[in-house]
Amino acid sequence: MDIVVKNLTKTYGPQKAVDDISFIVRTGEVLGFLGPNGAGKTTTMKAITTYLIPNQGNVWVGDSSIYEDAEEIKRHIGYLPESNPLYEDMPVIDYLRYVAELQGIDKSKIKSSILNMVDLCGLEGEKHKTISELSKGYKQRVGLAQALIHDPDVLILDEPTAGLDPNQIVEIRELIKKIGKEKTVILSSHILAEVEATCDRILIINDGKIVADGTAEELRKKAQGKEILKIIIEDADRNLAFDQLQQLDTVDVVDLIQGDDQAFEVQSKKDQSSKRAIFKLCVEKGWTLTEMCPVETRLEDIFRELTMN
Amino acid sequence: MKQIWIITKRELNSFFDSLMAYIMIITFLGFSGFFTWIYGADVFFIKQASLQAFFGIAYWTLFFFIPAITMRLFAEENRAGTIELLLTRPVNDWQVILGKFLATLMLIIISLILTLPYYFTVSSIGSVDHGAVWTGYLGLILISGAYISIGLFTSSISKNQIVAYLLALLIGIFFQIIFEMLAGGMTGFSSEVLSYLSVSNHFESISRGVIDSRDLIFFLSIMFLGLILTEANLLRRRYV
């Protein structure tokens, strides 16, 4: 099921939380939603789940609009809100049964789908405990289990790995990747590495507006445009090497890296690569090239550049 | 209908899991039993085989207890944020409201059923006006419905259960006694309107065995109004 968000605007008093944003998420796509706190991520997600009614614009999930067919949308959505609200006084298994019943799962399949979720989310040892007794990580798993129990076509996950330990984070990421192959997933996160690891596409939102949209690769290319290499040349005179590098046709700027007198940072001219030329130069001069690696613009840098004014 | 029942079932379970139900039942039976049989204008004092003493005390105990049961229903969901998850499941606002309403009403009806031994006892002592007893119970159920819907409304306003409780009492006390007192001090049309708004007038006539459509309409419209306002509150949240 595709999600189509069109001209969505939501204001809280005088403040525009979401300002006229539009995007489409296709089936089988995992969309990572990035943005600083208060950028409008959660508001957008709440609008997709039909919980918030926007001031302007529309959202379609499949063929259903949030205005006309909210009930139909709700049937196909699995939602994990940011604060992961749960009925703390209920035992895990009772809560999952309640959710399963409300989601309209067939009576004969309720038991198997609960067991399936307990298994998938690693709740075997905790299933008879009251939710309030669980640690934060286990509560988060229960939150995921309630979102997944009815095998929804669309998953909206607001910070799904908050509060999990590193092992669990890896598990959950793999789970999302696996699920994401057949479903439409939107997830928000502050952890950029996580978004990079799980998402096919990244949407960066700031002050209620979309500031970047594309794969991690595309965003990088857009942000840097030029090739940057870090190289280490041994057995060479530093100044000579510097001059020679600077004279290569493809090289734009050479920098000395402080603290290491054999290391250089070489920035190529636009759309050109200097790797081969550097290697040839070293062979010619009899220098030993011990390291050459491309310096990638980190997602963090892109994020900061786009969201800091 | 199925969705309503699922929610009702959960709320009822939650009453019994959290001891709320037991406290309600024990205190209700304790109070009403004490004043029906042991103390004050009890059955032996008035020397009549009637349940008027019980209805009089139940009228007040329900008034204080119902807000204590309903205060949690929405306030807690608002505080914990579970209302968001609930309303993004395939249920509409009305199913949620009616589910919670029915759960509370069923808890009250269970408490009332447990007082039926009073009726059997009294009817073995002397000749009872059976009709008046059954309409008396019906009256208590109608009053409960009205106060539950007021309680649901105040619970939907707030995240704080205490605020919900006190507000429900505040609104309830007008219907319970203040309108009647005001009506006594006035004459003409305003007096008539105020005494029509008084729960005790309607309850009195019902518990005497007379079921008038005026009384039924009164209770049903309070219930309806309370639930409509609750729905408006749920809806308002989604526009803010």
Side-chain angles (χ1 to χ4, degrees), chain A residues 19-259:
Chain A
D19 190 1
D20 195 30
I21 68 172
S22 306
F23 60 88
I24 296 173
V25 196
R26 303 265 176 226
T27 309
E29 203 171 26
V30 181
L31 178 80
F33 225 17
L34 283 180
N37 292 321
K41 301 182 300 266
T42 300
T43 305
T44 310
M45 290 179 146
K46 282 184 180 177
I48 297 172
T49 61
T50 76
Y51 182 68
L52 272 184
I53 295 161
N55 298 74
Q56 271 164 46
N58 205 340
V59 179
W60 288 269
V61 177
D63 296 322
S64 319
S65 147
I66 52 166
Y67 294 110
E68 285 107 42
D69 321 294
E71 301 279 304
E72 185 61 24
I73 293 182
K74 290 188 206 171
R75 226 173 301 250
H76 295 285
I77 266 187
Y79 178 38
L80 173 64
E82 192 178 10
S83 56
N84 187 25
L86 300 165
Y87 293 115
E88 302 261 330
D89 55 343
M90 283 177 107
V92 173
I93 209 148
D94 289 359
Y95 178 61
L96 291 180
R97 170 165 297 119
Y98 170 64
V99 174
E101 285 177 359
L102 271 185
Q103 292 289 358
I105 297 178
D106 202 56
K107 257 219 166 85
S108 56
K109 288 186 194 139
I110 284 184
K111 201 164 183 190
S112 66
S113 57
I114 292 174
L115 291 178
N116 194 9
M117 277 304 122
V118 166
D119 194 35
L120 191 68
C121 300
L123 289 164
E124 186 55 41
E126 326 288 323
K127 63 183 176 187
H128 292 298
K129 285 189 185 166
T130 307
I131 292 175
S132 59
E133 291 169 12
L134 300 181
S135 68
K136 191 159 188 275
Y138 276 109
K139 281 184 189 166
Q140 195 69 17
R141 290 167 181 228
V142 177
L144 271 170
Q146 63 80 20
L148 292 171
I149 194 161
H150 54 297
D151 195 22
D153 299 315
V154 174
L155 262 179
I156 311 283
L157 307 172
D158 206 347
E159 304 196 16
T161 54
L164 299 180
D165 67 40
N167 294 337
Q168 295 169 339
I169 289 181
V170 172
E171 278 172 37
I172 296 297
R173 277 184 199 164
E174 259 151 34
L175 180 65
I176 292 172
K177 266 194 154 171
K178 199 170 88 190
I179 296 168
K181 288 198 180 115
E182 305 131 42
K183 300 183 192 303
T184 318
V185 182
I186 298 184
L187 73 89
S188 79
S189 178
H190 287 300
I191 308 164
L192 298 161
E194 171 172 302
V195 172
E196 211 174 351
T198 39
C199 301
D200 307 318
R201 202 174 119 205
I202 296 172
L203 205 68
I204 301 180
I205 179 171
N206 188 34
D207 278 339
K209 289 196 167 84
I210 294 174
V211 288
D213 181 0
T215 63
E217 214 42 53
E218 284 168 2
L219 292 190
R220 275 213 191 84
K221 242 179 220 157
K222 232 181 258 171
Q224 65 182 33
K226 290 178 182 172
E227 181 194 72
I228 299 172
L229 297 169
K230 184 191 170 207
I231 57 175
I232 294 178
I233 299 174
E234 288 177 15
D235 311 328
D237 178 63
R238 195 177 193 208
N239 292 331
L240 181 68
F242 181 83
D243 283 342
Q244 293 285 330
L245 285 170
Q246 190 69 71
Q247 277 162 26
L248 291 172
D249 289 340
T250 54
V251 170
D252 191 14
V253 189
V254 179
D255 277 324
L256 296 165
I257 294 178
Q258 295 295 321

Side-chain angles (χ1 to χ4, degrees), chain B residues 62-134:
Chain B
L62 289 176
F63 168 70
F64 284 107
F65 272 98
I66 286 171
I69 302 169
T70 54
M71 67 180 183
R72 207 189 98 263
L73 292 175
F74 281 107
E76 179 60 19
E77 300 234 22
N78 288 336
R79 191 195 58 75
T82 44
I83 191 76
E84 184 177 343
L85 262 188
L86 184 55
L87 293 180
T88 50
R89 300 199 192 288
V91 291
N92 59 40
D93 295 1
W94 276 111
Q95 288 167 331
V96 172
I97 294 168
L98 287 177
K100 287 172 184 283
F101 177 84
L102 284 179
T104 321
L105 194 63
M106 281 169 73
L107 178 61
I108 302 289
I109 291 175
I110 291 170
S111 313
L112 289 176
I113 286 173
L114 292 174
T115 65
L116 283 179
Y118 298 178
Y119 167 48
F120 302 138
T121 313
V122 166
S123 66
S124 70
I125 298 174
S127 67
V128 180
D129 182 350
H130 296 284
V133 171
W134 292 117

